[in-house]
Amino acid sequence: MSTPADVRAATPVPGSGHPPLLDVRGVRKVYDGRGRSVEALRDLTFGVAVGELVCIVGPSGAGKTTLLRCISGLLEPTSGEVVLQGEQVTGPPRGMAVVFQEYGRSLFPWMTVRQNVELPLKEKKVPRAERRRLVEEALEAVGLADVHTAHPWQLSGGMQQRVAIARALAYEPQVLLMDEPFAAVDAQTRADLEDLVRALWKRLGVTVLFVTHDIDEAVYLGQRVLVLSASPTVVLEDVVIDLPAERDQLTIRSLPRFAELRGHVYRLVQQAKRGGGAAASGPPGRAPEAM
Ligand code: ADP
């Protein structure tokens, strides 16, 4: 997959005439407990088209984790719905894989790298020969072809997170959800893993929804950045990231357009932290249909 994905970025889903692969419709979530209720999500509506890479940013407590849980079918919205390929999500859908921040806890330490990557395929009842091929391809794709007999604890944090990404890829998901996946690794590893995600996304054509609180990361990675307000949460703005399709850390991060977009998203997040609900002024790449 090369340019078509970035062409789609300029044509947000609501105006594209195609139904989105993932459709979040008026999702509201209220947590009830001990006589106190918390309205974590007020009204979230957005779509993600096939092959898009969309980032979600928002202040801490904005409901990013709640949203991902609703999308992955682990939590039932109080109202509204999540639709994947035309079907309402009511439990963990087969077509979805999630990469969490805490790679240390998401891999089984007693299993080798190969066994960790293979496990969901066994549960999916993929035949043995096919499993072998998928595991090898996924480990190759993340640059870990030579460590498949190692155990997770023998690897660095960045390598462990690569294993978690390989496990998600081997599953051949339609949608890959990533929940702050690089928050716990050092800056250089983080930059490498960001480039790995972009490379895999372009090569495999997988649809990615990437949650982060890091504004630079969201702008560097995404074709669109959804900025969430503070709780109770709505989408403050759907920002189209019109940076070149070919991205490398040094070139892209020194572009004036990168600085402009980052500044814009930063102002929105600041506004969200202050509890603002309206869109910030001077939108450089807004997708008005998606608001
Ligand atoms: P984020 O991931 O953006 O930091 P969360 O989704 O974790 O935000 O939380 C959003 C809001 O919902 C917060 O006010 C949080 O305290 C509240 N919340 C999250 N989980 C629960 C829960 N299980 N019960 C009650 N309130 C919760």
Side-chain angles (χ1 to χ4, degrees), residues 1-11 50-52 201-202 223 245:
M1 195 176 82
S2 54
T3 41
D6 281 68
V7 172
R8 269 195 296 277
T11 315
V50 175
E52 268 196 310
W201 164 71
K202 292 192 106 184
Q223 296 179 298

Side-chain angles (χ1 to χ4, degrees), residues 31 38 40 59-66 69 231:
Y31 290 106
V38 177
S60 176
K64 300 184 290 298
T65 303
T66 302
R69 287 204 187 128
S231 183

Side-chain angles (χ1 to χ4, degrees), residues 203-263:
R203 209 170 92 209
L204 306 176
V206 63
T207 305
V208 182
L209 190 58
F210 190 105
V211 171
T212 177
H213 65 262
D214 185 322
I215 294 166
D216 283 45
E217 182 167 78
V219 172
Y220 179 72
L221 282 178
Q223 296 179 298
R224 288 158 57 205
V225 174
L226 301 177
V227 184
L228 301 186
S229 71
S231 183
T233 306
V234 295
V235 177
L236 263 189
E237 197 171 308
D238 184 343
V239 182
V240 173
I241 305 299
D242 52 2
L243 292 168
E246 290 304 323
R247 298 188 190 175
D248 74 88
Q249 300 278 353
L250 265 183
T251 318
I252 292 295
R253 286 178 192 265
S254 35
L255 290 177
R257 184 63 179 153
F258 180 84
E260 233 170 75
L261 287 162
R262 185 184 34 165

Side-chain angles (χ1 to χ4, degrees), residues 22-28 44-46 67 70-71 76-84 86-90:
L22 177 70
D23 200 5
V24 175
R25 299 178 185 160
V27 166
R28 176 167 186 258
L44 286 183
T45 297
F46 61 89
L67 172 63
C70 289
I71 291 177
E76 194 186 347
T78 305
S79 57
E81 59 179 358
V82 176
V83 176
L84 176 66
E87 299 227 341
Q88 187 179 2
V89 171
T90 52

Side-chain angles (χ1 to χ4, degrees), residues 26-166:
V27 166
R28 176 167 186 258
K29 179 67 194 177
V30 181
Y31 290 106
D32 278 314
R34 298 198 182 146
R36 200 177 82 91
S37 69
V38 177
E39 187 182 19
L41 304 176
R42 173 154 293 176
D43 181 4
L44 286 183
T45 297
F46 61 89
V48 181
V50 175
E52 268 196 310
L53 199 173
V54 176
C55 292
I56 297 183
V57 288
S60 176
K64 300 184 290 298
T65 303
T66 302
L67 172 63
L68 272 197
R69 287 204 187 128
C70 289
I71 291 177
S72 57
L74 297 170
L75 198 62
E76 194 186 347
T78 305
S79 57
E81 59 179 358
V82 176
V83 176
L84 176 66
Q85 268 205 321
E87 299 227 341
Q88 187 179 2
V89 171
T90 52
R94 279 176 77 87
M96 221 177 250
V98 191
V99 176
F100 296 102
Q101 175 182 339
E102 296 185 27
Y103 48 81
R105 282 207 271 165
S106 78
L107 300 175
F108 294 112
W110 60 88
M111 287 184 178
T112 63
V113 164
R114 158 181 290 282
Q115 288 166 336
N116 266 287
V117 176
E118 193 178 17
L119 186 63
L121 302 179
K122 280 187 171 170
E123 282 165 13
K124 203 181 173 185
K125 310 232 180 312
V126 176
R128 196 183 169 135
E130 175 76 350
R131 286 204 310 261
R132 176 177 280 266
R133 183 184 67 77
L134 287 168
V135 171
E136 270 165 21
E137 279 177 14
L139 286 172
E140 173 94 17
V142 302
L144 289 180
D146 52 347
V147 300
H148 52 94
T149 55
H151 286 79
W153 45 269
Q154 295 174 299
L155 308 177
S156 68
M159 286 166 95
Q160 289 181 43
Q161 197 55 302
R162 279 170 195 261
V163 177
I165 294 171

